[in-house]
Amino acid sequence: MRAVRKSSTRTTYSAGSTSAGLFPERELRQIIERVLRLAKSTEADETEVHVDEADESLTRFANNAIHQNVAEHGLTVSVRTVVDGRTARATTNRVDEDSLRGAIDASLSLAHSQPKDPRLLPVPGKQRYRKVERFARPTATLTPEDRARAVRRACDLAVKRGQVAAGIFASGQSQTAMGNSRGLFAAYRETHAEFSITMQEQPAASWAKANAADVRDFDPQQLAERASEKAHRATNAQELAPGRYTVILEPSAVLDIVGFLFYDFAATAVADKRSCLNDRMGKQVFGKNISVVDDAYHPLQLGAPFDGEGMPRQQVLLVDRGVPRNLVYSRASAKLAKKKPTGHGFMLPNEYGEAPVNLVFSGGDSSLEKMIASTERGLLVTRLWYIREVDPYEKIMTGMTRDGLFLVEKGKVGTAVRNFRFNQSLLEMLQNVELLGPAVRATGEEAFEMVVPAMKVRDFHFSEVTKF
Amino acid sequence: MWDISTHALDTARLRGAKYADVRVMHLRQRDLTTKNGQVGTLAQSESIGLGIRVLASGAWGFASTDRMTREGVSACAAQAVSIAKASAIAKRKEVVMAPEEAYVDSWQSPFRKDPFEIPLETQLALLLAADAEMRRVKGVTLTETDLQFRKIDSWFASSIGSRIHQRKMISGCGIVATSFQGDEIQKRSYPNSFGGQHALQGYELVESLELLKHAPRVAEEAVALHAAAQCPQKTGTLILGGSQLGLQIHESVGHPIELDRVLGEEANFAGTSFLTLDKLNKLRYGSDIVNVVADARLDHGPGLGSFAYDDEGVPAQCTDIIKAGEFRGYLSNRETAHLVGLKRSSGTMRTESWNRLPIIRMTNISLLPGTWHSDDLIADTDDGILMDTNRSWSIDDRRYQFQFSTEVGWEIKNGKKTRMLKNPSYSGITTEFWNSCDAICNVDEWVLWGTPNCGKGQPMQTMGTGHGAAPSRFRNIHIGAAFSKS
């Protein structure tokens, strides 16, 4: 699951692309300037424009063959006007002058329909941004043939081993630019690639996935090998009784469950009293081995160095040795709390405020191998699935294990185990972490990518068992 | 739009496609929300573009573009063919498509009041009034309301000669009151949680739901939950309200009958299904009174799964899924129909937008009404729990084991609805659950619920589905596991 930048181990692909690609940044800037110019002749007091463009491809395979293979190009222009203390947004994907004028008019019409908002802030002026480089040409030029050949190799491996492969190989590039009538301009572009595979050996299955800006940072065949080997080990699963177990959570499993904590660190969520951190800030909520920072500049993170209002993203220490210390703020929530904005605001107008989106957990000096070796009896969890919040304040989460659950006994990985349903408080879980591995860029299906370690956790609560 | 579609089809054919279909779509959406008496989101969007799916070298390719010039569409069609040829690098067998007629038609979902023509001030005034009503109740700490409207035009053209224009009008609304007190957060929603009720209707849906009338009750119940008794952990009798039963149908019937899941095409993401092909016409899915259909026809009601044609150009149909408890049918498309012995697709290919490939989707998956009246159902229950309005949902990747929790529960003792219970939940195994159903309320209490947020596919697509349900009773259900400690 990790994406380590080592040029010597990089996968190679042919150069060349059949996609339309992205417009140069100057063309996005021209669209923004055209909207600002058009808005000047309206009653808008202020105007903000976002232009987002995506050029994405995804090759999907199942039953050892490609069954879906898609590409898309899209560009949207989103206009927010402010008139007499009121604001609203209108979005279009057409860039001719009539359509842009139509978006401005629609935004103004929406804005007029509401009462004046005394808390509405003026749009921010020019900002300075830290440079981040997350555009890899080998990803941008990846062809359908490149993806198909990699898929073919993975499928051939499955056929050779009597297994059935399913998954995706996706690649793409996107950019966002924003500007406003006070002279702010920000732009960012990135590439992203992802390979995910499930290997099925009836009645079992296992899974591996990686995601990075540079497609050469992971090897699809290595992921296919890992999933294949684990699927083979996962056959003949035995049924264990539900109860509390020591679990060793691989990074994807950690990511997908702790991902449900991120919005609780929004100042707006706390102000709305829907965060589990209400009345808990500054207290020893998690174990002393848990520290979390939101850091858009971490080398394993992706994403723009500015937020939906154009404010530069700040690094924010959210949890310091188990104690929630700071929240993230939009400009509005910062003003209410008499704090500085942290560059985590969503595009306005919205009711949710802000959220940290580049979470980085501190790791430890253990490893999956050491965790297994130190475990008398426990379970090794590949991934968690269909996680939902049962109790928002105690942060009880439910979900299933999936694609490889193994019994660990006397320091060794043993037989596969039938999948369990868990009902586990996330607060309690993060008090019960015994060991942490190195923090890696993890990817799952329930939360966006984060930098998290593998964790060994005691007393994880499994409430029921399923049929496989 | 037909010119540009025909141009795309011609380009695909010249590039070597043996079959192609094109969707030009124009989507318009308006979102209004309030929070604590203030306007939250106030936004409108529109999007227009073209997506083309082609079969070339015996494999599929799909490309989409928002560049709606002849040059842009030519490039997009050529790209789709080139992608299909690349797909053939990892091909195992030829695609076989069930035959289908060519249709030339135009259809519009019926509505009485165009929500895009209703003054914004009227819409916001309704939300702000409902918001204020909820805030009047002491102990409420967060109030939220929402309205959402969508107008979707699609022009479908295929190389077999179909030319189908459809226009759908979709409306949705809901209100939520939340209360934080002591060490718990409780909430109540109306008419349903996670965005309220949604249907293929105009503004008349919003008016019919009387948000203002229900706002005080919703707020009072949210606060009252703090003092309510904890739902016990036990095995017992469960009565589900219609909206919760709608989601139960969605998760434990609707998804497992999707033939792409059954065939392993979703194995890497959404998962597979316990309903393997050998179970068709053999499995006892539910008790004798359980009858479930997949019905996309407007006759079934203005559901989010109602249409005239699917996005593969196949007319809307009604398919038996469970008949008198027996498993009878899957959701299929033209490519998979023959695998279950069908001569024709059941018409369930749907796409979120012009930039997404149509995939097998639920239409309106509904539990047909029974014979009971809810008063009689409660009077007939000695000891049970009534649960209503979903709070969380989760099910395994083969759709066997599920757990749901709801916002509120009510204890039923000796035929009477008694005290309120907080934090209710129930869990079970799909077929055991449906076989334990012993009473379904009648058509007077049957509502076609809309689930607007069903996620499936890669890239992810969100789709609206319909689920007709009336309150129903289930015996020997595992209750309360979500809050158990051991």
Side-chain angles (χ1 to χ4, degrees):
Chain A
M1 232 54 55
R2 64 186 300 179
V4 181
R5 289 175 182 274
K6 283 184 186 167
S7 57
S8 60
T9 60
R10 281 180 162 180
T11 312
T12 55
Y13 297 96
S14 64
S17 173
T18 56
S19 77
L22 299 178
F23 288 118
E25 182 188 304
R26 66 173 181 280
E27 292 201 28
L28 270 57
R29 190 169 197 140
Q30 284 167 4
I31 294 170
I32 290 169
E33 286 168 352
R34 203 182 327 154
V35 175
L36 294 175
R37 195 175 61 247
L38 290 169
K40 265 189 184 171
S41 60
T42 69
E43 59 191 318
D45 300 324
E46 294 186 314
T47 307
E48 175 192 277
V49 191
H50 286 258
V51 183
D52 292 288
E53 187 184 17
D55 181 46
E56 311 283 355
S57 298
L58 187 146
T59 299
R60 202 168 189 217
F61 55 102
N63 299 310
N64 296 331
I66 292 173
H67 67 307
Q68 294 171 9
N69 204 349
V70 304
E72 65 174 294
H73 176 267
L75 182 146
T76 59
V77 181
S78 190
V79 183
R80 179 169 76 91
T81 56
V82 180
V83 57
D84 192 25
R86 302 160 165 92
T87 192
R89 178 174 295 282
T91 303
T92 179
N93 74 336
R94 290 187 279 184
V95 294
D96 60 276
E97 193 147 314
D98 283 349
S99 299
L100 296 177
R101 209 186 290 276
I104 296 167
D105 291 345
S107 163
L108 283 168
S109 167
L110 287 165
H112 272 302
S113 66
Q114 65 190 301
K116 205 169 188 167
D117 179 0
R119 297 177 306 181
L120 184 65
L121 297 172
V123 299
K126 282 183 185 174
Q127 306 289 324
R128 296 185 68 171
Y129 306 107
R130 201 169 137 184
K131 182 85 178 157
V132 291
E133 185 51 64
R134 285 157 181 175
F135 191 94
R137 190 165 165 72
T139 307
T141 57
L142 203 70
T143 65
E145 289 78 13
D146 290 330
R147 291 191 300 276
R149 279 190 286 269
V151 166
R152 175 78 202 218
R153 281 193 293 275
C155 292
D156 285 348
L157 176 73
V159 171
K160 190 173 143 195
R161 295 191 178 167
Q163 297 179 331
V164 179
I168 61 157
F169 192 177
S171 59
Q173 46 187 327
S174 60
Q175 63 177 336
T176 181
M178 69 171 294
N180 67 32
S181 49
R182 290 191 64 203
L184 179 146
F185 180 80
Y188 167 78
R189 63 169 52 194
E190 70 172 34
T191 51
H192 30 263
E194 185 165 295
F195 187 84
S196 172
I197 187 163
T198 298
M199 287 289 206
Q200 300 158 90
E201 183 170 330
Q202 287 302 332
S206 198
W207 168 91
K209 183 178 180 183
N211 167 301
D214 192 328
V215 68
R216 297 171 301 173
D217 283 351
F218 56 78
D219 180 355
Q221 201 62 8
Q222 257 181 26
L223 294 165
E225 286 276 3
R226 191 199 306 172
S228 169
E229 187 268 328
K230 256 183 153 176
H232 183 66
R233 279 199 287 126
T235 53
N236 299 317
Q238 61 166 305
E239 184 172 326
L240 294 185
R244 289 192 176 265
Y245 286 83
T246 291
V247 289
I248 298 163
L249 302 174
E250 293 194 19
S252 293
V254 172
L255 162 81
D256 275 340
I257 189 165
V258 301
F260 281 82
L261 256 184
F262 79 105
Y263 185 61
D264 293 87
F265 286 93
T268 301
V270 173
D272 289 342
K273 299 191 189 312
R274 61 174 143 198
S275 164
C276 71
L277 298 176
N278 271 95
D279 300 340
R280 286 179 172 143
M281 291 300 291
K283 296 179 181 172
Q284 191 74 48
V285 175
F286 312 113
K288 288 186 176 169
N289 53 0
I290 302 298
S291 291
V292 187
V293 65
D294 190 73
D295 183 4
Y297 309 100
H298 190 283
L300 294 177
Q301 286 284 5
L302 287 180
F306 53 88
D307 70 3
E309 298 176 85
M311 300 303 290
R313 291 202 186 279
Q314 311 292 323
Q315 290 155 310
V316 179
L317 178 63
L318 301 171
V319 180
D320 183 16
R321 286 164 290 173
V323 179
R325 289 286 180 207
N326 298 294
L327 302 172
V328 296
Y329 295 90
S330 62
R331 293 169 69 236
S333 62
K335 188 170 184 205
L336 276 176
K338 297 187 172 59
K339 300 270 187 181
K340 287 188 176 166
T342 58
H344 291 85
F346 299 135
M347 284 164 66
L348 294 174
N350 76 81
E351 63 270 40
Y352 294 104
E354 60 284 311
V357 290
N358 296 100
L359 294 177
V360 179
F361 275 62
S362 292
D365 58 5
S366 190
S367 64
L368 276 177
E369 293 72 25
K370 287 180 189 169
M371 291 178 199
I372 292 163
S374 69
T375 301
E376 185 58 26
R377 190 166 193 269
L379 294 166
L380 174 63
V381 180
T382 300
R383 68 186 288 208
L384 301 174
W385 168 249
Y386 222 130
I387 305 170
R388 292 293 182 274
E389 188 177 81
V390 169
D391 183 312
Y393 196 63
E394 293 309 317
K395 216 64 191 174
I396 298 172
M397 311 303 301
T398 193
M400 300 296 301
T401 60
R402 178 176 172 180
D403 293 336
L405 179 68
F406 299 95
L407 183 63
V408 177
E409 280 188 307
K410 295 185 171 44
K412 290 197 166 50
V413 178
T415 58
V417 175
R418 279 194 178 181
N419 286 298
F420 277 123
R421 167 166 302 286
F422 63 86
N423 279 285
Q424 173 63 50
S425 160
L426 201 42
L427 307 183
E428 180 193 62
M429 176 190 136
L430 292 176
Q431 290 162 7
N432 290 347
V433 177
E434 294 182 341
L435 294 171
L436 298 122
V440 298
R441 179 176 173 82
T443 180
E445 300 295 0
E446 302 274 350
F448 51 77
E449 285 73 26
M450 295 178 200
V451 181
V452 297
M455 291 180 180
K456 180 179 171 182
V457 181
R458 67 176 173 277
D459 293 335
F460 195 90
H461 181 217
F462 292 112
S463 55
E464 289 174 273
V465 65
T466 188
K467 299 271 191 190
F468 60 94
Chain B
M1 297 302 175
W2 299 126
D3 282 354
I4 206 93
S5 302
T6 303
H7 180 63
L9 292 174
D10 289 346
T11 306
R13 191 179 60 246
L14 288 170
R15 295 276 182 155
K18 299 288 181 220
Y19 169 82
D21 52 33
V22 174
R23 279 151 297 278
V24 175
M25 293 178 74
H26 185 191
L27 303 102
R28 280 157 284 197
Q29 180 162 331
R30 180 183 290 174
D31 295 281
L32 298 88
T33 68
T34 69
K35 184 183 82 175
N36 291 337
Q38 303 281 330
V39 174
T41 296
L42 192 50
Q44 191 163 301
S45 65
E46 70 163 349
S47 176
I48 187 164
L50 172 147
I52 178 165
R53 180 179 72 147
V54 305
L55 193 54
S57 302
W60 288 112
F62 174 88
S64 63
T65 185
D66 55 357
R67 296 171 184 174
M68 296 292 281
T69 59
R70 281 177 76 84
E71 295 73 25
V73 167
S74 294
C76 179
Q79 187 186 13
V81 175
S82 134
I83 289 171
K85 288 176 179 171
S87 299
I89 292 172
K91 179 179 85 172
R92 300 277 165 194
K93 58 185 180 189
E94 296 296 317
V95 172
V96 178
M97 292 179 79
E100 191 56 60
E101 304 272 316
Y103 302 92
V104 178
D105 202 355
S106 183
W107 177 86
Q108 176 169 305
S109 68
F111 61 90
R112 290 203 300 278
K113 293 185 178 178
D114 184 342
F116 292 89
E117 299 297 325
I118 304 287
L120 283 159
E121 289 80 357
T122 304
Q123 298 177 356
L124 268 180
L126 170 66
L127 293 187
L128 288 168
D131 196 301
E133 280 298 312
M134 291 190 287
R135 277 182 298 119
R136 251 189 259 285
V137 176
K138 195 179 169 193
V140 168
T141 51
L142 176 65
T143 51
E144 296 167 287
T145 72
D146 72 88
L147 286 174
Q148 185 186 80
F149 306 110
R150 302 183 79 201
K151 189 190 283 186
I152 304 170
D153 278 284
S154 67
W155 292 265
F156 172 86
S158 73
S159 56
I160 63 168
S162 282
R163 296 288 184 276
I164 301 163
H165 170 240
Q166 297 187 85
R167 172 173 290 180
K168 293 177 199 164
M169 184 73 81
I170 299 166
S171 298
C173 64
I175 58 173
V176 190
T178 304
S179 175
F180 173 60
Q181 202 178 99
D183 60 358
E184 66 180 21
I185 297 170
Q186 295 290 352
K187 73 170 182 175
R188 288 291 285 130
S189 311
Y190 171 83
N192 200 355
S193 48
F194 302 101
Q197 168 67 321
H198 294 248
L200 202 65
Q201 286 181 275
Y203 199 72
E204 65 273 12
L205 172 78
V206 178
E207 292 176 336
S208 72
L209 289 168
E210 300 184 290
L211 300 181
L212 212 50
K213 179 179 144 190
H214 290 272
R217 175 189 59 80
V218 165
E220 284 157 12
E221 287 184 0
V223 177
L225 279 165
H226 293 298
Q230 173 73 25
C231 175
Q233 187 181 359
K234 64 175 190 176
T235 298
T237 297
L238 172 71
I239 296 176
L240 290 182
S243 66
Q244 172 56 36
L245 188 54
L247 189 62
Q248 176 80 48
I249 295 164
H250 180 99
E251 302 292 356
S252 67
V253 181
H255 278 305
I257 60 172
E258 294 163 343
L259 205 40
D260 53 352
R261 287 185 73 112
V262 174
L263 297 170
E265 294 182 7
E266 292 285 334
N268 182 241
F269 183 56
T272 57
S273 172
F274 72 94
L275 287 174
T276 45
L277 298 181
D278 56 302
K279 295 192 171 64
L280 185 62
N281 295 318
K282 290 180 186 151
L283 175 75
R284 176 142 286 275
Y285 208 124
S287 62
D288 289 349
I289 60 169
V290 173
N291 293 285
V292 175
V293 295
D295 196 345
R297 302 168 310 162
L298 205 51
D299 293 348
H300 191 69
L304 294 184
S306 302
F307 47 75
Y309 299 86
D310 76 354
D311 288 314
E312 207 176 29
V314 177
Q317 297 164 44
C318 178
T319 303
D320 282 331
I321 301 300
I322 303 172
K323 191 155 191 177
E326 286 187 1
F327 173 47
R328 288 293 180 84
Y330 292 104
L331 305 178
S332 64
N333 61 2
R334 291 185 64 194
E335 191 178 347
T336 58
H338 72 280
L339 296 170
V340 284
L342 296 174
K343 290 184 176 157
R344 184 190 194 198
S345 159
S346 64
T348 65
M349 285 287 266
R350 304 178 69 195
T351 182
E352 172 190 85
S353 179
W354 53 267
N355 59 0
R356 291 289 178 270
L357 182 71
I359 54 176
I360 291 177
R361 280 300 205 159
M362 286 177 235
T363 55
N364 299 307
I365 313 300
S366 298
L367 175 67
L368 297 181
T371 55
W372 288 74
H373 187 279
S374 57
D375 290 344
D376 299 333
L377 185 59
I378 287 172
D380 185 64
T381 304
D382 290 337
D383 183 6
I385 296 176
L386 165 64
M387 297 191 195
D388 206 8
T389 320
N390 183 263
R391 190 160 96 169
S392 75
W393 68 100
S394 175
I395 189 164
D396 71 43
D397 57 288
R398 295 183 196 173
R399 302 274 154 179
Y400 275 119
Q401 207 283 338
F402 61 80
Q403 178 181 295
F404 292 91
S405 67
T406 63
E407 290 183 350
V408 68
W410 301 91
E411 193 171 59
I412 296 166
K413 285 281 182 199
N414 303 318
K416 289 198 165 48
K417 188 172 150 185
T418 60
R419 61 181 182 157
M420 179 187 265
L421 298 172
K422 68 181 171 189
N423 304 327
S425 70
Y426 66 97
S427 49
I429 297 291
T430 292
T431 45
E432 293 170 9
F433 177 82
W434 285 108
N435 274 286
S436 75
C437 180
D438 78 341
I440 301 170
C441 285
N442 65 29
V443 71
D444 296 339
E445 298 179 59
W446 190 89
V447 174
L448 187 47
W449 293 96
T451 300
N453 56 346
C454 178
K456 186 182 171 186
Q458 291 174 294
M460 171 69 90
Q461 302 190 42
T462 302
M463 182 57 69
T465 61
H467 305 291
S472 302
R473 186 171 64 189
F474 302 84
R475 301 290 197 181
N476 300 312
I477 299 299
H478 190 189
I479 288 167
F483 283 79
S484 68
K485 298 288 182 192
S486 58

